[in-house]
Amino acid sequence: MSDSTQHSERQSDCTTTESFSDHGIDDAADLVTQTSYRLKAGEQNQFTPDDSFFDRLESAFIWAYLGSVDEPGIPAHVQMAIEDARWFTQDEFEDRPDADLRTEVIPAFYQRIAGFHCVYRDQTSPGSI
């Protein structure tokens, strides 16, 4: 398969559900659910628009990701996607302390991660630059 064919196929599978299929995660809803469970396990049931909350959210996602893949560590493009998604999500919700954690904040965070992941993954694939 040529690099351009592989690149085209990867772009077409880049939905929020399938963004992480190249890491063996077929349904990213599992990442969202596991992130939510990890926050709850850490007694983070409420959203607070501060750095401490977003540290916990980022950490919960990272552990959900690590628990869902067979690869060691987090690839650089995934880490960049998480960091950028955190910044944009924190910016969006900084004036919305009443936002619902489960139905607004976590889904917005994940949608951004998925989008950034698709872009960064495709930028770092062989022959893409």
Side-chain angles (χ1 to χ4, degrees):
M1 178 181 311
S2 75
D3 286 342
S4 62
T5 302
Q6 185 178 21
H7 180 76
S8 176
E9 286 179 9
R10 285 171 61 159
Q11 282 184 328
S12 69
D13 77 354
C14 203
T15 65
T16 56
T17 302
E18 297 174 343
S19 173
F20 287 92
S21 62
D22 60 320
H23 298 281
I25 301 170
D26 295 327
D27 185 353
D30 295 338
L31 287 174
V32 175
T33 301
Q34 289 303 314
T35 299
S36 180
Y37 288 159
R38 288 181 179 279
L39 284 171
K40 287 180 183 179
E43 298 182 12
Q44 183 67 49
N45 296 316
Q46 297 282 332
F47 169 64
T48 56
D50 57 23
D51 287 339
S52 179
F53 168 80
F54 282 97
D55 288 344
R56 289 189 299 278
L57 176 60
E58 184 176 347
S59 179
F61 181 82
I62 287 170
W63 284 107
Y65 173 84
L66 289 172
S68 301
V69 298
D70 292 329
E71 60 195 27
I74 299 183
H77 69 278
V78 173
Q79 185 62 46
M80 289 186 319
I82 293 167
E83 291 169 4
D84 286 350
R86 175 201 168 132
W87 187 88
F88 281 100
T89 305
Q90 189 168 358
D91 185 58
E92 177 185 351
F93 289 99
E94 71 182 343
D95 295 328
R96 295 187 51 208
D98 59 336
D100 185 86
L101 176 61
R102 188 179 62 82
T103 63
E104 293 179 87
V105 180
I106 294 173
F109 179 64
Y110 175 72
Q111 288 174 349
R112 285 187 174 96
I113 291 172
F116 283 124
H117 175 257
C118 292
V119 171
Y120 298 157
R121 172 190 71 189
D122 291 344
Q123 287 177 348
T124 60
S125 66
S128 64
I129 297 177

